[in-house]
Amino acid sequence: KEKLAADPKAKAAYNLLNRAESRITDLNKQMRNIRNNPNLTAEAKTTRLNQLREAKNVVAENAYKMGKELGY
């Protein structure tokens, strides 16, 4: 915590990673709900899961790029 208070870049990186982690957690929950939904067809599940997987990849990639730009 002391380093975060003293280093604005570290705090920005920490906040960025926390937001990315939260978003990925939400996407994982959505994916789990889709997998467990008996009312969706296999095709519908596959389509939606692929969309969510792509969204997760974008979040992770953006977090990585921003962390790298901040020097982490």
Side-chain angles (χ1 to χ4, degrees), residues 3-43:
K3 183 175 181 176
L4 291 178
D7 184 358
K9 274 180 30 176
K11 185 174 182 174
Y14 178 81
N15 290 336
L16 170 83
L17 291 176
N18 273 342
R19 284 192 309 272
E21 179 185 27
S22 262
R23 181 68 180 128
I24 288 173
T25 297
D26 291 342
L27 291 166
N28 283 334
K29 286 179 187 177
Q30 290 178 44
M31 291 172 81
R32 189 170 34 257
N33 288 338
I34 288 168
R35 282 188 204 102
N36 294 330
N37 187 336
N39 299 319
L40 292 175
T41 65
E43 184 178 338

Side-chain angles (χ1 to χ4, degrees), residues 5-6 14-16 25 27 35 37 45 51-52 57 59-61 64 68 71-72:
Y14 178 81
N15 290 336
L16 170 83
T25 297
L27 291 166
R35 282 188 204 102
N37 187 336
K45 287 181 181 185
Q51 291 169 344
L52 291 170
N57 289 341
V59 170
E61 187 176 322
Y64 173 78
K68 198 169 182 179
Y72 291 96

